[in-house]
Amino acid sequence: MRSPPPRGLSGGCREAERLALIDDGAGNLHSGANALKAAGADNVDITSAADAVARAGWIVLPGVGAFGACAAALRAVPGIVEALDRRVRHEGVPFLGVCVGMQLMADAGEEAGTHAGLGWIGGTVRRLTPMDPAAKVPHMGWNDVVPVTPHPLIEPGEAYFLHSYAFDGADVIASTDHAGPVTAAIGRDNMLGVQFHPEKSQRYGLELLARFLEWRP
């Protein structure tokens, strides 16, 4: 039986700084906001405003659904891509991409055609092709997260996955197994992306979020 989520985790979210949880209209953000608060974030803005991103001390980009639809929704928000690029790539603000939010860090995604990503980490998001035909797609449920290179935020554990497409490219820092290796996390410098859902991953997810809030890359 899995341990219940910890209560009162102390994160590193300084009172004066806010965390921007990006709202591109593609999913329920309240569970993510609640998990961030449980992990120690005092000030969580669910926002699609570029000026809120420009002031944020942490940025989280979630995503649910198809790569192309999420990319289009994000680009439809005036100034948001430019604000993200400036704050994350040029000013070094800690960034976390979750599920499709992680996939959008790639160059492109191949779901229902080829669609441009943010191009922050070299790679392409492709449909899962398990080596065992009996393995179901989507990959859904609890699975191991296995670090493949040291990273201060990623530890071995078990997390909750729900996806049909996966990242194939550079800067992979953790994998999982679904009848073959599947990227579980990518990262470089101040950027981290996780294919699993921390907000659904109980203690493991909350502890990862708490480390993210303490992170000073």
Side-chain angles (χ1 to χ4, degrees):
M1 184 174 179
R2 303 185 194 283
S3 301
R7 295 183 180 274
L9 275 175
S10 177
C13 200
R14 295 189 294 271
E15 184 109 12
E17 292 188 328
R18 304 190 73 84
L19 184 149
L21 180 62
I22 306 300
D23 181 8
D24 63 1
N28 176 13
L29 300 177
H30 294 290
S31 60
N34 289 338
L36 285 160
K37 291 173 183 177
D42 296 318
N43 300 304
V44 177
D45 281 337
I46 298 176
T47 183
S48 59
D51 59 347
V53 172
R55 297 191 304 268
W58 296 262
I59 298 171
V60 178
L61 177 62
V64 177
F67 183 105
C70 289
L74 188 65
R75 290 191 168 95
V77 179
I80 194 79
V81 172
E82 294 79 8
L84 283 168
D85 195 69
R86 182 174 63 254
R87 289 295 278 158
V88 176
R89 296 184 72 189
H90 300 288
E91 298 177 4
V93 171
F95 172 88
L96 174 64
V98 175
C99 195
V100 180
M102 179 207 88
Q103 296 178 0
L104 290 174
M105 297 164 70
D107 294 322
E110 295 182 345
E111 185 173 3
T114 300
H115 308 275
L118 293 169
W120 292 354
I121 291 184
T124 302
V125 176
R126 297 187 167 96
R127 183 166 176 82
L128 283 169
T129 54
M131 288 186 248
D132 181 355
K136 294 182 179 179
V137 176
H139 171 211
M140 180 171 62
W142 290 85
N143 211 337
D144 291 333
V145 176
V146 181
V148 298
T149 190
H151 191 280
L153 302 190
I154 297 295
E155 294 185 355
E158 194 179 13
Y160 187 85
F161 291 80
L162 177 56
H163 63 116
S164 299
Y165 286 73
F167 176 87
D168 177 16
D171 297 303
V172 174
I173 59 176
S175 67
T176 190
D177 182 84
H178 187 60
V182 175
T183 298
I186 59 177
R188 186 178 69 241
D189 303 326
N190 57 306
M191 299 179 286
L192 174 69
V194 295
Q195 183 61 70
F196 54 86
H197 288 269
E199 77 280 9
K200 296 180 180 180
S201 298
Q202 299 186 8
R203 180 177 295 276
Y204 181 82
L206 290 185
E207 289 178 348
L208 182 147
L209 294 176
R211 290 191 295 274
F212 173 68
L213 297 172
E214 296 276 4
W215 196 28
R216 296 294 179 269

